[in-house]
Amino acid sequence: MSANPQWDISRALRVARLFHLVCGVRDACVTPFLTLYLRQLGLAAPWVGILMGTKHLIAAFWAPFCAFLARSHQKRRVLMTASLLGSAGASLFMVLVPPLDRDPGHRRCNGSHSLTTEGPPPGVALTVTVTLASEPASNSPAGVLSLPGAKSSGVAGTRGFGEGPGESGQEPFSYPPGSSVGSTQGTRNRSGVLLHPDTPGVTGSPREGAFRVVSPPLPLSAGGTALASPANQSAAEGDGRALGLSLEGLQWTFILSLGSVVLWELLTSPLEQVADDSLYEYLDFVDATDRYRSLWVWRLLGTSVGVCGIAALVGPLDCFLATSGPRGVVHFYGYSLVSALALLVSIAFPVPVCRRQEPSYRTVKALSLVVGDPHLTVLALTIFLTGGATSAVQNFLFWQMKDHGSSELTMGFSVALGLLGEITLHPFKAPLLRKLSRVGTLGLGLGCLAGQLLYYSFLWSWWSVLPAQILSALSHGALWWAVSTSIEHLATPGTERPLSAVFRGHVCGSGASLGSFVGGFVVMRFSLPVLYQACCILLLLWLALFLSIQPRLPQERKINYSKLLAVEASDTSDSEQGTERDWLVKAMREEHSDWRG
C-alpha cells in the first residue's frame, strides 16, 4: 500500500467492487423488465422495438462521446454525479406516462397485499363482440363470445391473449379496415372482434395489423328497422369519437414514452464507461491493472440479486404505490432509490487527480484497425449479428413468458440463472480456449445462441425457459471470452482498450439497435416464434460462413520477441539501428512519445 493516500489500492478496489455491485442492482431494477412495462402501457411490438432501438443507439455513441469529454476536461466525478442524479429523476418520468387503459377495475389487492388480476386465465383468449345498439345478437359471428357491458368503442375493456393490466391489443396509429374516425359510415361497419396477434397462440392473421376486425356483412335492415335510423346514427357517431380519442391517447403514450426513454438513456449511459476509464487509469498509475479484470464479477452478482429482489417486491408494493395504471412502477422507484445509494458510494470512487496525456485519436485508430485487418472485420460482423439476435431475446422473451402465465419472479430468476452460470463457468475459460482455440470457442458461442433462439420458439410453459438459460454461460460468456482474447492478440499497443470499447459499444450496440427496430415489425407481421427462428437461421448461416473463411484469411502478425530484446539492449547502449523496420517497435515508440507529450 502506498504512503500517498491517493494511491490506496486496497481501498480503491473495495470501493470499486461495492460500486459495481450497487450499479448491477440498479440496472437490474428496470432494464430486464422495461419492454414488459411498455407492453403494459399498451404499446405494440413495433413501437416497443423503436423505443429499444433508440435506447441502444444512444448508448452506442453517446456514452463514448461523454467519456471523451469528461477525460479531456477532467470532469469525471462531476459527470458521474450528474449521471446518477439525473437518471434517478428521469426514470420517474416513465411512471407519469399515461397507459391506454386507465380503468383500475381489472385489478385488486387481496388480504395478503399481493396484487391479482381479474380476467381470463393464462392461455385463454377473451374476445369481445362490438355490436351496434340496434343489432340483434343473432348477427354476431358464430363461436364468438358477446359480453354484456362491453364498451362500444372496442378498445378499452378488450383483452388479448395473455395480456396484463393496462395492455391493449391494438396497433398504434392504425385504423380498423373500412373505418374512418369520426365518420358515421366508417363506424357503421365496425361490428367485430378485436384480437391480439403479438403473441403466439392467438387466432387471426397478424398481417391485418395489431388488431383484426372480423366484420360480417350487415343487412340493410333488421326486423324491418333501418340501421340508418337516427338512434343508430348517434350511437355510431359516439363510437367514432371514442375510437378517435383512444388513438389520440395511443399517440401520446408513445411520444411520452419515447421522450422519457431518450432523456433517461442520455443521462445514464455515460456512467459505466466513465467509471471504468477512471478506475483503469487509477490502477495503471501503479501497474495494478491485472486486478481490474476481476471486477466484472461483482456487477453480475449485483444484477443477479437485483433482478430477483425487485421482482419479488413488485407484487406486494404495487398495492401501495399504484392505484391505477399498469403494474410495475415499483421498478422505477427501486431504480431511483438504488441510484441514491450508488451516488453515496461514488463519493469515494477512485478518480485520479493527475492524468496521462493520452492521444485523442485512439478510437479513430481502433476503427481503422477494424477496417484494415480482415480478422477484426470478420469479428466485428460477428458481434454485430450477435447483438441483433440477442436484442430479440432481451426485448420479447418476457412477453412470451407472460403469455404462458409466468410471474415476474420467475422471469428474474431466469436472468439470474444465466448470469450465475457465466460466473461459474469462468474458471474454465483458459482450458476452453486452449482446447478449442479462439475460433472454436467463438463458434461454440454462436452455436449455443442459435440453439437458444430455436428453443425459445417452441416454449410450451412458463418454466420451460429455465433449462435454456443455462446455455447463456456459453452463448454470452464463452463468446465474449473469445472476442476479448482475439482483441488482445490483434490489437496494436495502446489500442486494446479502445478496440474493446468499439466492439462492446459501437458494434454490438448498433447491432442491438437494428435488431430491435426490425424485430418489432417482424413480431407484428408474423409472430414471435418466427422472429426467433429467423435469427437462429441467420446465425447458423453466418457460423458456416465464418468457419469456412477462417483458413482463407491472412495469417496473424506475431510479435518478434528477439527484436524486442534487441530494442531493450539498444536502449542501454544508445544504439537503435535496425529496429525501425519492426511494426511493433514503431508503435511502442509512438506510444512513448504520446506518453511524454
Side-chain angles (χ1 to χ4, degrees), residues 120-351:
V124 177
L126 175 61
T127 58
V128 179
T129 301
V130 183
T131 58
L132 296 179
S134 62
E135 183 182 359
S138 60
N139 289 334
S140 299
V144 176
L145 175 64
S146 179
L147 298 181
K151 297 181 182 181
S152 61
S153 65
V155 177
T158 303
R159 295 264 181 262
F161 176 81
E163 291 183 347
E167 297 174 39
S168 171
Q170 61 185 350
E171 177 187 6
F173 314 146
S174 66
Y175 298 89
S179 69
S180 175
V181 176
S183 67
T184 305
Q185 182 63 31
T187 55
R188 189 175 298 165
N189 296 328
R190 287 183 55 256
S191 174
V193 183
L194 302 182
L195 298 177
H196 196 292
D198 289 346
T199 51
V202 184
T203 58
S205 171
R207 300 184 182 184
E208 299 177 19
F211 64 80
R212 181 170 65 93
V213 180
V214 182
S215 299
L218 296 178
L220 294 179
S221 62
T225 302
L227 288 176
S229 62
N232 286 336
Q233 287 183 355
S234 62
E237 290 174 357
D239 198 35
R241 285 193 297 269
L243 179 63
L245 290 175
S246 175
L247 293 174
E248 182 182 355
L250 190 59
Q251 294 178 14
W252 274 110
T253 298
F254 173 74
I255 292 173
L256 292 176
S257 298
L258 180 62
S260 300
V261 168
V262 168
L263 176 62
W264 182 19
E265 192 63 26
L266 287 174
L267 291 169
T268 193
S269 60
L271 176 65
E272 182 176 354
Q273 185 165 346
V274 171
D276 286 346
D277 290 346
S278 177
L279 179 62
Y280 185 86
E281 185 177 311
Y282 183 94
L283 296 175
D284 193 31
F285 270 110
V286 290
D287 295 328
T289 53
D290 56 321
R291 305 175 72 176
Y292 169 84
R293 298 177 181 270
S294 62
L295 292 175
W296 62 272
V297 176
W298 294 93
R299 183 175 288 271
L300 293 191
L301 287 175
T303 304
S304 302
V305 173
V307 75
C308 293
I310 194 66
L313 294 174
V314 165
L317 293 184
D318 257 343
C319 294
F320 300 100
L321 298 178
T323 58
S324 63
R327 63 177 304 187
V329 295
V330 175
H331 292 288
F332 300 97
Y333 292 129
Y335 181 92
S336 298
L337 290 176
V338 181
S339 295
L341 178 60
L343 179 62
L344 296 178
V345 179
S346 69
I347 297 175
F349 192 84
V351 176

Side-chain angles (χ1 to χ4, degrees), residues 7-54:
W7 310 116
D8 191 346
I9 304 301
S10 298
R11 175 181 175 274
L13 288 173
R14 287 195 300 269
V15 174
R17 294 188 191 106
L18 180 60
F19 185 78
H20 278 74
L21 184 72
V22 174
C23 286
V25 176
R26 169 180 176 263
D27 294 339
C29 287
V30 172
T31 303
F33 303 96
L34 181 58
T35 57
L36 191 64
Y37 182 82
L38 293 173
R39 184 194 186 192
Q40 291 175 348
L41 286 179
L43 297 177
W47 313 115
V48 172
I50 290 175
L51 290 175
M52 298 305 296
T54 305

Side-chain angles (χ1 to χ4, degrees), residues 55 140 420:
K55 181 176 182 294
S140 299
L420 294 176

